[in-house]
Amino acid sequence: MNARLADKIATLTFWVGALIVILILGSMIAYLLYHGGKYISWDFLTKPAQAIRAGGGIGPQIFNSFYLLFLSMLITVPIGVLGGIYLAEYAGNNKLTEAIRLCIETLNSLPSIVVGLFGLLVFVNMTGWGYSLISGALALTVINLPLMVRFTEEAIRGVPASLREASLNLGANHWQTILRVVLPSAFPGLVSGAIITSGRVFGEAAALLFTAGMSSPALDFSQWNIFHPASPLNPFRPAETLAVHIWKVNTEGLIPDLRRVADGSAAVLILVVLGFNMAARWLGSKIHRRMTGT
Amino acid sequence: MTQSKISVKNLNMYYGDFHALKNVNLEVEANQVTALIGPSGCGKSTFLRVLNRMNDLIEGVKVEGSVLLDGCDIYRPEEDVVNLRKRIGMVFQRPNPFPMSVYDNIAYGPRIHGIKDKRKLDEIVEKSLRAAVIWDEVQDRLYKSAIGLSGGQQQRICIARLLAVEPEVLLMDEPTSALDPLATMKIEELIQALKKEYTIIIVTHNMQQAARVSDVTAFFLTGDLLEYGKTDTIFTKPTDKRTEDYITGRFG
């Protein structure tokens, strides 16, 4: 077989492979949007869920998902970025670093239901907080952290060595160099990393069933005292997220319009995750352009 | 006899098992341009990086002997490396401006060293850009990114950035190898102007450049400093046959 033919066959094979991937993913998204898209309306997005009667919405669940995401990112991003900086800038080639990397890999491949049960034991029972947003946020942090650390490390390693050298040559120390040259250059990567991580968490259900809980108290959106049980912002109240809601409606739902709620919620969920990923790309390249002035 | 600005004594350097610099002895006088020449891999860039301890960043590097700056060994344990690099700065082969505005590039060093006053910073920025003969070209775009400039302009920005921290010695690692002839000429003129106030050591592959800009030339070959002396002498009456062969282009 001559080289040119081999090249053609290889090209074709890769095209077919990519096409299969796109077809599978594309048809799933299309299926979800086709079945759920028609149920999405302003009422559906804002009204509270119903337990028995028809006509419920997913307003509180959407709010819970975003708020939980916000809480977990509040914990994940600082720790993850610090960990990533350590691994990229300070960690030597030794046994300790290897052990840390092994831990991160293991944590990353942990099934989320295991994280959920761990959360139930530690964040729900041991702390005495019960099913709560804060327990859920901590469980999500366990899932998120390895990803955030890895994204940070990659972003920092991607900063050209020549910039580091330039900074050191002007009499800057290591910390000043990290703060003023390395982190700003790595910033677009950090932002997209954080957003992609967010998207993954938004769809998480298994880790939240036993931590943030499967119910939501009646929320009073005019209650701004965050310690009030009906305040949407109270981190110690239970909170059912959108993904958990989909799971619950499908497994133990009593409402007559179960398909409508489940399909509609699934469509909303996939749209939000899609939005996250596109925002990550868009924002990442926009910041990159602004910072490099090109 | 006056004291040399930099005095290198019995310097040996190893990358792991590789003996990169072999018993180098060299005196660098203040306010002179010293050119380091030699074929690729001869150790001239390595030597340059020894002078402000940039090799510290590489694992497995071992340095023996002494490097005296104004009579003080920069390899003594209590040496403040950060302060050393403020006194001895480097211009790199490829221009490496920070992805920031021209102004922030120049103000980076002074800010690091604690200058906050806006008027003082303005003054330093203008003075440094003028000294690097780039002021006229960038004064209208001080707050735009330095990445948008041409290679030659970027290199002069990098030199201005270095001048802003008022170093004593400028190390230049083939500063014009990535530039076109016109930009190269500007940098060479700049080097001539700068030597009044600074001590300059330049690594170059370009024989004509060494002959044009330097007062003293040092010829390196496979880690040995074979010969050094007045540039005129080295280029017209080299004592070592290998120096002559290299300069006349018989190898390298």
Side-chain angles (χ1 to χ4, degrees):
Chain A
M1 187 163 52
N2 68 30
R4 196 194 293 197
L5 186 63
D7 182 51
K8 283 236 164 72
I9 291 175
T11 310
L12 194 70
T13 314
F14 293 129
W15 270 96
V16 169
L19 214 64
I20 292 173
V21 172
I22 292 170
L23 266 177
I24 294 175
L25 295 179
S27 56
M28 275 171 71
I29 293 175
Y31 179 87
L32 284 169
L33 291 182
Y34 174 74
H35 284 278
K38 55 180 179 280
Y39 301 126
I40 300 177
S41 66
W42 181 246
D43 264 8
F44 181 64
L45 292 177
T46 51
K47 276 189 357 196
Q50 294 289 341
I52 304 166
R53 274 176 299 153
I58 52 170
Q61 280 75 21
I62 293 180
F63 174 82
N64 286 342
S65 287
F66 277 106
Y67 188 42
L68 189 59
L69 179 70
F70 169 75
L71 286 178
S72 82
M73 290 319 265
L74 209 61
I75 312 171
T76 306
V77 170
I79 304 178
V81 168
L82 290 179
I85 292 176
Y86 172 79
L87 282 180
E89 292 279 341
Y90 292 95
N93 263 331
N94 53 35
K95 286 265 182 285
L96 176 70
T97 311
E98 270 172 46
I100 293 174
R101 284 188 199 284
L102 190 68
C103 288
I104 292 174
E105 292 303 314
T106 312
L107 206 59
N108 199 24
S109 50
L110 217 55
S112 53
I113 187 73
V114 174
V115 176
L117 291 170
F118 170 79
L120 175 66
L121 285 175
V122 179
F123 305 136
V124 175
N125 291 340
M126 249 174 70
T127 57
W129 290 330
Y131 292 147
S132 62
L133 277 162
I134 187 77
S135 310
L138 287 169
L140 288 181
T141 302
V142 174
I143 292 180
N144 267 348
L145 212 47
L147 261 188
M148 197 63 224
V149 169
R150 199 190 292 170
F151 274 125
T152 306
E153 190 184 350
E154 268 173 33
I156 287 181
R157 285 195 191 280
V159 177
S162 63
L163 292 185
R164 250 173 258 259
E165 291 191 335
S167 173
L168 294 173
N169 254 288
L170 295 166
N173 61 32
H174 195 178
W175 165 237
Q176 288 166 327
T177 302
I178 292 175
L179 189 68
R180 296 183 187 223
V181 173
V182 176
L183 279 183
S185 298
F187 192 68
L190 295 184
V191 171
S192 9
I195 298 180
I196 291 169
T197 317
S198 303
R200 200 173 94 142
V201 162
F202 203 85
E204 181 57 49
L208 295 175
L209 294 174
F210 309 117
T211 52
M214 285 190 277
S215 63
S216 214
L219 297 182
D220 175 5
F221 280 87
S222 60
Q223 178 56 259
W224 287 96
N225 175 2
I226 65 161
F227 298 111
H228 193 280
S231 168
L233 298 179
N234 184 348
F236 293 100
R237 70 175 172 87
E240 181 192 40
T241 64
L242 194 54
V244 171
H245 189 60
I246 295 173
W247 185 83
K248 194 176 81 172
V249 167
N250 274 311
T251 51
E252 51 192 58
L254 298 173
I255 44 175
D257 55 350
L258 190 148
R259 280 263 57 84
R260 181 186 70 89
V261 173
D263 289 352
S265 308
V268 170
L269 188 69
I270 199 106
L271 282 175
V272 172
V273 174
L274 218 58
F276 268 122
N277 287 329
M278 287 189 326
R281 284 167 172 273
W282 176 77
L283 205 64
S285 72
K286 192 181 159 77
I287 296 173
H288 182 74
R289 255 176 314 176
R290 157 162 285 185
M291 306 244 307
T292 55
T294 46
Chain B
M1 193 187 120
T2 53
Q3 189 183 43
S4 304
K5 186 69 189 169
I6 295 177
S7 170
V8 178
K9 292 197 170 109
N10 306 324
L11 182 82
N12 281 283
M13 203 201 88
Y14 307 83
Y15 283 119
D17 292 334
F18 178 64
H19 197 171
L21 292 172
K22 298 167 190 162
N23 205 34
V24 173
N25 287 282
L26 182 68
E27 304 288 318
V28 177
E29 303 300 329
N31 302 98
Q32 286 205 328
V33 178
T34 302
L36 309 181
I37 60 169
S40 298
C42 66
K44 56 195 189 304
S45 289
T46 302
F47 178 72
L48 202 67
R49 295 169 71 92
V50 164
L51 298 181
N52 75 343
R53 294 186 58 174
M54 281 306 278
N55 288 318
D56 287 14
L57 305 176
I58 304 164
E59 272 179 60
V61 166
K62 199 171 73 188
V63 176
E64 289 165 359
S66 59
V67 178
L68 308 180
L69 173 65
D70 290 331
C72 218
D73 190 357
I74 64 168
Y75 278 90
R76 70 192 194 285
E78 69 271 22
E79 175 69 30
D80 177 357
V81 180
V82 170
N83 187 48
L84 169 73
R85 296 204 186 111
K86 184 174 176 291
R87 295 175 65 193
I88 306 186
M90 191 179 289
V91 177
F92 296 86
Q93 202 166 348
R94 298 203 155 274
N96 55 356
F98 298 125
M100 316 170 179
S101 71
V102 170
Y103 186 97
D104 288 336
N105 261 283
I106 311 301
Y108 181 87
R111 279 180 179 144
I112 286 280
H113 300 299
I115 297 175
K116 291 202 183 75
D117 181 37
K118 175 82 171 98
R119 230 177 318 144
K120 186 97 180 52
L121 283 174
D122 288 349
E123 209 175 281
I124 294 175
V125 168
E126 183 173 343
K127 195 175 133 213
S128 308
L129 287 169
R130 280 191 192 282
V133 204
I134 180 86
W135 171 255
D136 291 341
E137 289 158 70
V138 297
Q139 59 169 322
D140 298 327
R141 59 182 312 280
L142 282 181
Y143 299 98
K144 290 198 183 132
S145 173
I147 304 292
L149 298 168
S150 75
Q153 290 173 324
Q154 288 188 15
Q155 194 63 297
R156 276 177 288 151
I157 291 288
C158 292
I159 293 173
R161 181 175 66 182
L162 204 53
L163 299 182
V165 300
E166 300 178 337
E168 299 159 33
V169 180
L170 304 180
L171 307 176
M172 302 191 171
D173 189 1
E174 299 188 42
T176 61
S177 67
L179 306 181
D180 63 65
L182 204 68
T184 299
M185 197 182 81
K186 288 196 172 171
I187 301 275
E188 287 183 9
E189 284 169 5
L190 178 57
I191 291 172
Q192 287 303 321
L194 289 175
K195 84 173 192 186
K196 289 186 200 83
E197 289 182 58
Y198 304 90
T199 304
I200 298 173
I201 304 176
I202 177 173
V203 164
T204 178
H205 256 119
N206 182 331
M207 289 309 105
Q208 285 87 14
Q209 183 168 69
R212 280 193 302 262
V213 303
S214 72
D215 304 297
V216 176
T217 297
F219 176 59
F220 281 80
L221 190 65
T222 60
D224 285 303
L225 173 59
L226 277 194
E227 189 169 352
Y228 86 95
K230 287 217 176 316
T231 300
D232 292 343
T233 320
I234 293 269
F235 276 85
T236 51
K237 297 187 281 286
T239 50
D240 195 298
K241 179 81 174 64
R242 289 168 293 183
T243 313
E244 189 185 340
D245 287 349
Y246 181 72
I247 288 169
T248 53
R250 249 167 250 166
F251 75 101

